[in-house]
Structures are given as structure tokens and as C-alpha cells.
Amino acid sequence: MQQKADLEDFIRNGHKYFVPHVSLDCAIFGYHERQLKLLLIKHRAINGWCLPGGYIKRTEKLVEAAARNVKERTGVDNLFLQQFKTFGDPNRVKFESFDEQQWFEATGVRFGKDNWLIDQTISIGFYAITNFSKTVLHVDVMTEKCEWFDIDALPELEFDHDEMVREALHTMRIQLYHYPIGYNMLPEKFTLTEIHALYETLLGKKLDISNFPKKLIALGLLKKLDEKRRIGAHRSPYLYSFDKEQYDKALREGVVLS
Amino acid sequence: MQQKADLEDFIRNGHKYFVPHVSLDCAIFGYHERQLKLLLIKHRAINGWCLPGGYIKRTEKLVEAAARNVKERTGVDNLFLQQFKTFGDPNRVKFESFDEQQWFEATGVRFGKDNWLIDQTISIGFYAITNFSKTVLHVDVMTEKCEWFDIDALPELEFDHDEMVREALHTMRIQLYHYPIGYNMLPEKFTLTEIHALYETLLGKKLDISNFPKKLIALGLLKKLDEKRRIGAHRSPYLYSFDKEQYDKALREGVVLS
């Protein structure tokens, strides 16, 4: 949303185009070379940081709405997007830190009384994992900042978003045992050390070296190439790549990786 | 809801007491002695079978709303209730098989135009597992029947409820690897054969005999009692019970059972 006229229409009439009382929020995790980050935004006229989110068009599937939101923020398409939980505590969103005058000065648009955006809203949480080094972040007329934060140095978040992040991490870590991961996050050809580092970073703990890659190979998800990477005089580990067909099948059906 | 006056008020004014545009549906699985069943209801004036569901009071947490709905149907309290997915395809609910005249004859209440109940609605899916032999089923003024169906002989369901059941089963089977199960579904003291049968039935497949119980013991969730059950002259297996403290901790935090 780039224009004031669009924003005005969204604030006044959004409930006609979007399903009211329901929003979505996305925990977008970014991985690159053993670092795990989380994307946060700062809304205009709200002091703290939040997960990026949005509303569901009346013509959209939920996952399409989530994909649109993620693409608007990061420029990234075709991401692995997974619902993790829906949040609906009656008092989950309070607008205590919302400064309407400051919002008006920044946007030129007034909320008005009984606006659909400040009615009780249930939010559907999605998580995604992407390579943060390949994203191009966007702010729009409603947001002031959009930044990657190290997962171990997150600020305290607004609303119930701290709980959302905890639940997203918990679900992502359980799902690592049942769905393949790594496509788009590793180079096309990679070493076992690299995929092992990916799993360790996402799980946030040291792993027995053989664990996940060994299972991935046994299940036919990972194939050994007849090619090595030359690291040093005495180190040239074999390269591996994903079997995309098996990978997509496992994404649809689930597996047991542990 | 037992009275016509309550129903009239619900149809007219429900959006003031409940969050509109959002409902919940519950896949209530029932286990007893190697049988797995699913609870289905038949609404008045709709031909087919559905999952039981309802709406979320504006003062309720989502899980409280689900627990209230499950209790109203089954009489069972304090059930293990787990969100599995939220469903929101734009055309997920069509009222093609809804016969308004038949509804009016059965209930004495008219829907009227633009009713909040037939607006676009996103539904939050919960699953529960209980012992079907201990439930007492209820129908109310809006429903005609409420019955347990064998999981392998389900009828084709209305709306998107076939997909809901598939997703509920899929999630339940993945979560069996990460959360303990069995409390309230097995006797207080049980044999390894009994808990093994529970896992086989829920997973819908034969298992290596030692798998799950062995891990449950290793994690301290299951404790061997100094007591045997006398089955026959040469068969008296040891009895086991759950360590409730460890069990509740594992329910909160998750484990890796496979």
C-alpha cells in the first residue's frame, strides 16, 4: 500500500474486501551461514516491534494471503509457508501504545470511531524459513521500519507476538523431524557439514553429527554426487544435492527423520 | 441450546456475543480396545454428516471455546485438545444442501436475509482423543443426530470436513512422536501390550513391538510397577502406569519419541 488514497479506502472499507475479525501474522525466519534471524516490523504510531502481518482477501485462500504478505515484505516468492497456530485470547491485542495523533501526522488518514481494524481479531500464525541474504525488505505507508533481528537478541514484542514467536519456533523445531528443509537455503550442491550446520542452527542445539543427514540419505531425499569440493590439501568432502521429486513428496506426506 | 427462545436470540444476535466470521470444528477421536472412532453430527435441514463445531464467545480463549463445545457434545471434561489447522478457502462452506423450510419446520425459527451465520467464515480445527466408551452423547435443538463412526467407515462429509479429518489424523499421528498420549484412554495400570495396541491403532499401522513404550520408559514417562496381571497359568505381564508429573511436563514442552 503506497498511496494515501489506498490507505484511506483500506481504513474505511477494508471489511468489504477482507474477512473482518481475522488477521494473519508471519514469523519469517532467515537462515544464512549458521545464523538464524527473524523479520520484525515497526508500525507507524506504535512504539514497539511486531511480526509482519495482514488481512485475508475474501477471494484468497489463507496460504495465498500469507504468501502475498511475505512477498510484500521480503520480495521472496514460493516460500515454504506453514500454519503453526491460531491466536484468539480475548485481550490479545490492546492499542495502548497506539498514538492516533502521531498516526494522523504520519499518514494523513484518520481511524474514526468503531473502525473494523480495532475490533476483536483472531490471528492465524504462519512461519516461513528463507535465506535472509537474498531478501529485499520493503516498508509501506503503514510501517516505519522492517529489519532482521538475531534470534538470540529479539526485543520484547507488542501484542501477543512474543508468544507467537515461541510457538512458531516450537512448531518449526518439531516439524524439522517430519518435513525436509534446506532447499533454497543451501547452495544447489552442498557438503554434509553444511546441511548439518543448518539443522543445528534451526534446532538451536548441537547434534550427533550423523543424525539428520544420514536419515535424509536413507529416505532418498539427499543424494551423493560424484563430485567433491576442494577445501584444502587434505580435505575434499563429497557434495550432495536434494532429490527434488522425493523432497516435494516428503513435504506433502511427512516422514519420520529422527 | 435447548430452548426456541435461545435459538432465536442466537440466530438474530449471535454476532454480538460470538466473534463473527470465525468458527471452530472439532475432530473428536474415540479409542477403546483397539478401535478408533470419530464423532459426527447431522444438523437439522442439512443432509450429510459433519464434525461438531461452534462459535467463540467474545470472552473466551479459543481452547476454552473448543472445550465447551466438546463437553456439550460428549459430556467429557479436561480432554487433551489440540489445534491442528485453520481452514479458510473462500468457498469452503456452501449451503447447497441446507433446506430453510425444513429447518423452520424443525425449529420454528427463521434465518432471514444476510444472517451472520451464513457470511464467509474461517474455521479453526481442534482435535481431541477420548475413550468413546465413557462418553454420553447429546443432541440439541440445532442437531438431529450425534454418533460415533468407525474411522475406516466414515461417510463422505459436508463442507470441507473431509479435508479437516485428513489433516487432523495427519497432525495427530505426527504429534504422537512428540507428546505423550494414553492418560484417560488406558486403565490406571496397564500392560505394555495395551499401550502398544493404543499406539498401533492411533497410527493405523503395525509397529516394532518395542518402539514407543521403550522410549516412554527411557524418558521417565512410564514407570514399571512391582505388580503383575495374572492372564493365564504361564502369562503374568508386569503392569505400568504413567508418571503424571513427567507426563504433564512432556505435554507442555514436547519430546522426541521415535
Side-chain angles (χ1 to χ4, degrees):
Chain A
M1 204 172 323
Q2 295 304 330
Q3 305 294 326
K4 185 184 156 187
D6 294 343
L7 179 60
E8 182 97 43
D9 186 48
F10 174 74
I11 303 279
R12 288 304 143 250
N13 304 310
H15 59 291
K16 298 177 194 164
Y17 322 133
F18 298 89
V19 187
H21 299 281
V22 190
S23 65
L24 56 85
D25 286 293
C26 299
I28 309 174
F29 296 109
Y31 175 81
H32 184 59
E33 292 185 353
R34 295 176 186 265
Q35 295 174 81
L36 184 61
K37 295 178 187 274
L38 179 70
L39 191 67
L40 297 176
I41 63 165
K42 196 193 157 306
H43 288 289
R44 291 195 192 283
I46 290 180
N47 258 327
W49 292 88
C50 304
L51 294 177
Y55 295 85
I56 300 136
K57 288 185 189 167
R58 284 176 178 264
T59 52
E60 270 177 333
K61 295 184 181 192
L62 302 182
V63 71
E64 291 168 351
R68 175 175 54 78
N69 270 276
V70 169
K71 185 164 187 194
E72 284 168 8
R73 290 288 167 205
T74 63
V76 177
D77 234 338
N78 290 321
L79 214 60
F80 175 71
L81 264 168
Q82 185 76 30
Q83 261 194 47
F84 63 95
K85 194 172 180 179
T86 295
F87 297 80
D89 281 10
N91 57 358
R92 54 176 290 276
V93 173
K94 291 178 193 142
F95 285 91
E96 282 159 357
S97 81
F98 178 69
D99 183 332
E100 188 161 356
Q101 187 56 30
Q102 193 186 327
W103 159 274
F104 178 67
E105 282 161 23
T107 64
V109 177
R110 289 209 185 274
F111 259 79
K113 266 181 68 180
D114 297 330
N115 192 281
W116 71 284
L117 285 163
I118 52 180
D119 203 348
Q120 189 168 350
T121 298
I122 285 168
S123 190
I124 306 166
F126 280 82
Y127 78 84
I129 318 183
T130 188
N131 182 331
F132 66 76
S133 74
K134 292 184 180 168
T135 56
V136 182
L137 303 181
H138 293 277
V139 294
D140 63 16
V141 66
M142 295 178 73
T143 45
E144 205 178 295
K145 296 180 192 170
C146 178
E147 290 174 22
W148 289 107
F149 283 76
D150 196 281
I151 199 73
D152 296 320
L154 297 178
E156 201 177 310
L157 305 183
E158 289 292 301
F159 314 133
D160 55 354
H161 291 198
D162 283 324
E163 187 193 348
M164 284 184 177
V165 173
R166 272 199 309 278
E167 292 280 345
L169 263 177
H170 182 72
T171 305
M172 183 262 275
R173 284 170 177 167
I174 281 184
Q175 293 192 339
L176 285 181
Y177 289 84
H178 299 281
Y179 298 98
I181 196 124
Y183 195 80
N184 282 339
M185 266 167 287
L186 295 170
E188 200 198 321
K189 300 169 182 180
F190 47 85
T191 65
L192 288 185
T193 307
E194 284 169 333
I195 190 167
H196 184 256
L198 171 70
Y199 274 101
E200 273 196 347
T201 309
L202 295 181
L203 286 166
K205 64 183 181 192
K206 291 282 171 205
L207 289 175
D208 175 339
I209 185 70
S210 59
N211 249 1
F212 281 79
K214 206 162 143 184
K215 270 283 174 129
L216 290 167
I217 295 167
L219 289 166
L221 292 164
L222 208 57
K223 55 189 187 201
K224 190 176 183 175
L225 303 176
D226 192 17
E227 201 176 326
K228 293 179 175 186
R229 183 183 296 162
R230 187 73 187 263
I231 299 179
H234 303 288
R235 292 179 60 211
S236 45
Y238 272 101
L239 289 169
Y240 290 75
S241 74
F242 289 112
D243 182 320
K244 196 60 175 42
E245 205 176 303
Q246 293 298 317
Y247 188 99
D248 289 339
K249 185 166 174 278
L251 269 188
R252 286 192 304 274
E253 297 173 7
V255 289
V256 179
L257 278 180
S258 63
Chain B
M1 203 173 321
Q2 296 302 332
Q3 306 293 325
K4 186 184 154 187
D6 293 344
L7 179 60
E8 181 98 43
D9 186 45
F10 174 72
I11 302 280
R12 290 301 144 252
N13 304 311
H15 59 290
K16 296 176 195 165
Y17 321 135
F18 298 89
V19 186
H21 299 280
V22 190
S23 66
L24 56 86
D25 286 292
C26 298
I28 309 174
F29 297 108
Y31 175 82
H32 184 57
E33 290 185 356
R34 294 176 186 265
Q35 294 172 80
L36 185 61
K37 295 179 187 274
L38 180 69
L39 191 67
L40 297 177
I41 62 163
K42 197 193 156 307
H43 288 290
R44 290 194 192 284
I46 290 180
N47 258 326
W49 293 87
C50 306
L51 294 177
Y55 295 85
I56 301 136
K57 288 185 192 167
R58 284 176 178 265
T59 52
E60 271 176 333
K61 296 183 182 196
L62 301 181
V63 73
E64 290 169 351
R68 176 175 53 77
N69 270 276
V70 170
K71 185 165 188 193
E72 284 168 8
R73 290 288 165 203
T74 65
V76 178
D77 234 339
N78 290 322
L79 213 58
F80 174 70
L81 263 168
Q82 186 76 31
Q83 260 194 48
F84 63 95
K85 194 172 178 178
T86 295
F87 296 81
D89 280 10
N91 57 358
R92 53 175 291 275
V93 174
K94 291 177 194 144
F95 285 91
E96 282 158 356
S97 81
F98 178 69
D99 183 332
E100 188 159 357
Q101 187 55 29
Q102 194 186 326
W103 160 273
F104 177 67
E105 282 161 22
T107 63
V109 176
R110 289 207 185 274
F111 260 79
K113 267 181 68 180
D114 299 329
N115 191 282
W116 72 284
L117 284 164
I118 51 179
D119 203 347
Q120 190 170 349
T121 298
I122 285 168
S123 189
I124 306 166
F126 280 82
Y127 79 85
I129 317 183
T130 186
N131 182 331
F132 66 77
S133 74
K134 291 185 181 167
T135 56
V136 181
L137 302 183
H138 294 276
V139 292
D140 62 17
V141 66
M142 296 178 73
T143 46
E144 204 178 297
K145 296 181 191 169
C146 178
E147 290 173 21
W148 288 107
F149 284 76
D150 195 281
I151 198 76
D152 296 321
L154 297 178
E156 200 177 310
L157 304 182
E158 289 292 300
F159 315 132
D160 54 353
H161 291 197
D162 284 324
E163 186 193 349
M164 283 183 177
V165 173
R166 272 199 310 278
E167 293 279 346
L169 264 177
H170 181 74
T171 306
M172 183 262 275
R173 285 171 177 166
I174 281 183
Q175 293 192 340
L176 285 181
Y177 290 84
H178 299 280
Y179 299 97
I181 196 124
Y183 195 80
N184 282 339
M185 267 167 286
L186 296 169
E188 200 198 320
K189 299 170 183 180
F190 47 85
T191 65
L192 288 185
T193 307
E194 284 168 332
I195 190 166
H196 184 256
L198 170 69
Y199 274 102
E200 274 196 345
T201 308
L202 295 181
L203 286 166
K205 63 184 182 190
K206 292 281 171 206
L207 288 175
D208 175 340
I209 186 71
S210 59
N211 249 2
F212 281 79
K214 206 161 141 184
K215 270 283 174 128
L216 290 167
I217 295 167
L219 289 166
L221 292 163
L222 209 57
K223 53 187 188 200
K224 191 176 183 174
L225 303 176
D226 194 17
E227 201 176 326
K228 292 178 176 189
R229 183 184 297 161
R230 187 72 186 265
I231 299 180
H234 302 287
R235 292 179 59 209
S236 44
Y238 272 103
L239 289 169
Y240 290 76
S241 73
F242 289 111
D243 182 320
K244 196 59 174 46
E245 203 175 306
Q246 292 297 317
Y247 189 98
D248 289 339
K249 186 165 174 278
L251 269 188
R252 285 193 305 274
E253 296 174 7
V255 289
V256 179
L257 278 179
S258 62

